[in-house]
Amino acid sequence: MQTSCVAPDKKDLGRALCIVTGASKGFGRTIAKEISLLLKPRSVLVLAARSCEKLQELKADLDSSGAGREGLVTCCVVADLATNEGVGSVISAAKEFSIKDMDNLILINNAASLGDVSRYTQSFTNMAEVDSYLSFNVSSALSLTASLLQAFPQQQGLRRCIVNVSSLCALKPFPSWVLYCTGKAAREMMFRVLAEEEPDIRVLSYSPGPMDTDMQIVARDTTADLTVKKSFVSLLNQGQLITCEASCAKLLKVLLEDSYLSGAHLDFYEL
Amino acid sequence: MQTSCVAPDKKDLGRALCIVTGASKGFGRTIAKEISLLLKPRSVLVLAARSCEKLQELKADLDSSGAGREGLVTCCVVADLATNEGVGSVISAAKEFSIKDMDNLILINNAASLGDVSRYTQSFTNMAEVDSYLSFNVSSALSLTASLLQAFPQQQGLRRCIVNVSSLCALKPFPSWVLYCTGKAAREMMFRVLAEEEPDIRVLSYSPGPMDTDMQIVARDTTADLTVKKSFVSLLNQGQLITCEASCAKLLKVLLEDSYLSGAHLDFYEL
C-alpha cells in the first residue's frame, strides 16, 4: 500500500472534485464547510443528502462564502442513498464536471444511520430490518465508491482519495448497538480490501470520536444498554463531547499531510 | 464475558438440540456427522440446507449410524436461508422438539456463500448484488440466531451455544474478495456484540482454515487476484489443504473443553 512523504507545508487540497454524502447536517455539513476552505478556485463540491431544504441552505452559505466568491462550484444532489437511483444521481451530478486539470478526486462516505439501539441482538429476528440497514450503510457506500472510481479512472496527475467515516464501533462491540457495530465493521473491511487492491487510491477510515450531533442525542436517549447509555450522558455532562469542527480539523489535517497508510483506521483521539 | 473451567474429561455434549446450517455438503455435512457422535441418545439434530436430496442422503447415513440406532433424531429442513420464510422454517422445525431435559442448545451458523471473487471492489456498482450477498451471509445469520434464542430462552440447566463459522477473511483483507471479507467481518462483529450482551450464552467464531471443499475449488478457479489465486493453487499442490474432518475435530474439541472466552475468534492454525 502506498504511503507518501509528509508535506508539512501543504496548505490546501488543490483543485478538487469533492463529494460529501450526508452533507445536510452534523459532521457531513461541517466537512463540507471546512473542506471548502481548502479547495482552490474552480473546485467542485457535490453535496448529497435527503433533505433538499438543508442542502440549499448549506449551498447558499457556501456560495456567499469566500470560497464561493472565489469560484467554488457547489452542487446539491437530493438523493436517497439507500437506492440505486440515489447513488446513480450522485454519480451523474459528479460526471457533469470535468476532472481535467483537477488535482484531487475526494469522496467522503459520511452518510450513515444509527439503527435501533433501543434493543438487543436477540430482538433482530426480522431480516428485512437488517437488510435495509446494511443496504444503506454498507451496500450503498460500496456502490457509490465503485461507481465513482469507474466514472473517474486513474489518470496522470489525479490523486483519488476515498474517506470512510468510521467509528470505534468498527473495532469494538457495544451492547445494544449490533446494527451500528456490524455495519461499521463491514465498511471498514470493505475499504481495507479496496486499499489492498488499488495502491494508487488513497483510502482512509476515520473515526471522528463522540461528536455533539443529532445522532449523539438519539444514542444518549435510546440506547438500551445502561452502561453504554450512561457513558454518553457522562460525556455530555463532563463537556467531553467533541465539536464537529474539532473532529473535522483533524480529518483535514490528515488529508493535507497525506502520510497515512492507505486502508488505515485513524481515530480522533490518536491524532 | 463468561469463561468456564476446562473439563478435560468431557467426552460428549450431553443431550442436545443442535442446528447446523449449510449441512448438505462440505464443512456443514462433516460437522453434522461428527457432532452426532458426541450427542447422547434422544438428542436432536436439525439440518438445514437448500438441497433436499443431499440432506436426505445425510439423514439416511445418520439414521443408520450408531448414533441413529441409539436414538438420535435427525430432522431435515429444506430451506433457503436467504429468506425470512427459510429462517422461519428452521425455527419451526426446532420448536417441534422439547428442550426439557436437554443439556445443550447448539446453533452452528455455517451456511455461507463465497460471492463473486472474479472481480475487484471497483466493479461492485450494483447495490442489489451486494444487498443479496449481505442478506444471505449476515442478516440471515442474525435473524436465525435471534429467533432461536427467543424460541429457547435461558433456563436452568440449559447451556446455549452459538457458533459462527468464520474465516481469516473476517480479520484480513484479501484482494478481489470484497464480498466475502466484508460479510465475514460483519458476522464476526455481530457475534461479538451478542457475546457482550448475553454473558450466559457461549459465542464462538471459528475459522476452519482452508478446507478441501467445493468452495475452495471455486476460489482456486475464479479468484481475480493472481497472488491470492496462486496461494490456493499452492495449498493444493503442496497437500496443505485441510480435510473437513481435521478442522471439525478441532472445533468439536473447543466445544467440548468449553474454555474459550465467549465472543472469541479461534483459528484452526492456532489450536
Side-chain angles (χ1 to χ4, degrees):
Chain A
M1 280 175 291
Q2 188 180 18
T3 56
S4 59
C5 299
V6 180
D9 55 344
K10 213 171 159 193
K11 296 281 195 300
D12 63 64
L13 293 165
R15 204 177 147 226
L17 170 57
C18 179
I19 298 104
V20 182
T21 66
S24 64
K25 57 181 187 170
F27 193 47
R29 184 183 170 91
T30 303
I31 292 171
K33 292 181 86 162
E34 301 295 325
I35 208 168
S36 76
L37 306 174
L38 300 179
L39 302 178
K40 281 200 167 161
R42 295 186 302 127
S43 289
V44 176
L45 200 47
V46 175
L47 306 176
R50 275 170 298 188
S51 163
C52 178
E53 196 182 345
K54 286 181 181 162
L55 276 183
Q56 289 301 337
E57 272 175 35
L58 176 58
K59 178 174 162 54
D61 279 2
L62 288 167
D63 285 349
S64 63
S65 71
R69 280 179 275 121
E70 283 177 21
L72 172 71
V73 176
T74 301
C75 163
C76 296
V77 185
V78 179
D80 179 359
L81 290 175
T83 66
N84 255 327
E85 295 67 38
V87 170
S89 61
V90 176
I91 299 298
S92 298
K95 284 169 82 172
E96 291 289 311
F97 301 96
S98 168
I99 201 78
K100 195 168 167 287
D101 301 329
M102 292 278 187
D103 304 301
N104 278 295
L105 173 72
I106 302 170
L107 168 61
I108 316 260
N109 283 295
N110 168 69
S113 62
L114 183 59
D116 188 348
V117 294
S118 74
R119 293 147 52 205
Y120 289 98
T121 302
Q122 285 197 42
S123 73
F124 288 90
T125 54
N126 181 6
M127 273 179 71
E129 180 184 10
V130 186
D131 285 345
S132 163
Y133 185 85
L134 294 176
S135 185
F136 178 54
N137 289 278
V138 184
S139 308
S140 169
L142 175 49
S143 170
L144 180 65
T145 301
S147 301
L148 192 76
L149 293 172
Q150 279 193 19
F152 300 103
Q154 183 174 14
Q155 65 178 57
Q156 199 156 22
L158 179 69
R159 199 159 186 79
R160 297 183 297 167
C161 171
I162 309 289
V163 176
N164 168 36
V165 176
S166 186
S167 164
L168 178 58
C169 293
L171 309 180
K172 186 173 149 48
F174 287 90
S176 71
W177 280 48
V178 69
L179 292 185
Y180 195 76
C181 289
T182 300
K184 289 295 188 189
R187 282 169 69 126
E188 186 95 5
M189 176 55 83
M190 189 171 92
F191 287 107
R192 286 175 69 197
V193 173
L194 177 66
E196 285 287 328
E197 289 174 357
E198 311 291 342
D200 73 296
I201 299 173
R202 305 282 295 146
V203 181
L204 171 68
S205 283
Y206 174 67
S207 177
M211 295 177 294
D212 194 5
T213 60
D214 288 354
M215 192 187 274
Q216 182 67 217
I217 296 171
V218 178
R220 194 164 57 227
D221 289 350
T222 67
T223 293
D225 184 84
L226 285 183
T227 308
V228 176
K229 189 186 178 90
K230 280 179 187 164
S231 72
F232 289 125
V233 173
S234 162
L235 282 170
L236 174 71
N237 291 342
Q238 297 181 21
Q240 289 174 329
L241 285 178
I242 301 162
T243 63
C244 290
E245 286 72 19
S247 187
C248 186
K250 286 202 183 178
L251 168 60
L252 294 179
K253 185 164 179 284
V254 169
L255 294 183
L256 281 172
E257 288 180 353
D258 199 27
S259 61
Y260 59 91
L261 187 71
S262 186
H265 176 104
L266 298 185
D267 190 288
F268 174 85
Y269 287 114
E270 291 163 357
L271 288 167
Chain B
M1 281 174 292
Q2 187 180 20
T3 56
S4 59
C5 300
V6 179
D9 56 344
K10 212 170 158 193
K11 296 281 196 302
D12 64 63
L13 293 165
R15 203 175 147 229
L17 170 57
C18 178
I19 297 104
V20 182
T21 66
S24 64
K25 57 181 186 170
F27 193 45
R29 184 183 171 90
T30 303
I31 292 171
K33 292 180 87 162
E34 301 294 326
I35 209 168
S36 76
L37 305 173
L38 300 179
L39 301 177
K40 280 199 167 163
R42 295 186 301 125
S43 290
V44 175
L45 201 47
V46 175
L47 306 176
R50 274 170 298 189
S51 164
C52 178
E53 196 181 344
K54 285 181 182 163
L55 277 183
Q56 289 300 340
E57 272 174 34
L58 176 57
K59 177 174 162 54
D61 279 2
L62 289 167
D63 285 348
S64 62
S65 71
R69 279 179 276 119
E70 283 178 20
L72 172 71
V73 176
T74 301
C75 165
C76 296
V77 186
V78 179
D80 179 359
L81 290 174
T83 66
N84 256 326
E85 295 68 37
V87 170
S89 61
V90 176
I91 298 299
S92 298
K95 284 169 81 172
E96 290 289 310
F97 301 96
S98 168
I99 202 79
K100 195 166 167 288
D101 301 329
M102 291 277 189
D103 305 301
N104 277 294
L105 173 72
I106 302 170
L107 168 60
I108 317 261
N109 283 295
N110 168 70
S113 61
L114 184 60
D116 188 347
V117 294
S118 74
R119 294 147 51 205
Y120 290 97
T121 302
Q122 285 197 42
S123 74
F124 288 90
T125 54
N126 181 6
M127 273 179 72
E129 180 184 10
V130 186
D131 285 345
S132 163
Y133 184 85
L134 295 176
S135 185
F136 178 53
N137 289 277
V138 184
S139 309
S140 169
L142 174 50
S143 169
L144 180 64
T145 301
S147 301
L148 192 76
L149 293 172
Q150 280 193 18
F152 300 103
Q154 184 174 15
Q155 66 177 59
Q156 198 156 21
L158 179 69
R159 198 157 187 80
R160 297 183 298 166
C161 170
I162 309 289
V163 175
N164 167 35
V165 176
S166 185
S167 165
L168 178 58
C169 294
L171 310 180
K172 186 173 150 49
F174 286 90
S176 71
W177 279 49
V178 69
L179 291 185
Y180 195 77
C181 289
T182 300
K184 289 296 188 188
R187 283 170 68 125
E188 187 94 3
M189 176 55 84
M190 189 170 93
F191 286 107
R192 286 175 69 197
V193 173
L194 176 66
E196 286 286 328
E197 288 175 358
E198 311 292 342
D200 73 296
I201 299 174
R202 304 283 294 146
V203 181
L204 172 67
S205 283
Y206 175 67
S207 177
M211 294 178 293
D212 194 5
T213 59
D214 288 354
M215 191 186 274
Q216 181 68 217
I217 296 172
V218 178
R220 194 165 57 227
D221 290 351
T222 67
T223 293
D225 185 83
L226 285 184
T227 308
V228 175
K229 188 186 177 89
K230 280 180 188 164
S231 72
F232 289 126
V233 173
S234 161
L235 282 170
L236 175 71
N237 291 343
Q238 297 181 18
Q240 288 173 331
L241 285 178
I242 301 162
T243 63
C244 289
E245 287 72 19
S247 187
C248 186
K250 286 201 183 178
L251 168 60
L252 293 178
K253 187 164 179 284
V254 169
L255 294 183
L256 281 173
E257 289 180 353
D258 199 27
S259 60
Y260 58 90
L261 188 71
S262 187
H265 176 104
L266 297 185
D267 190 288
F268 173 85
Y269 288 114
E270 291 162 357
L271 289 167

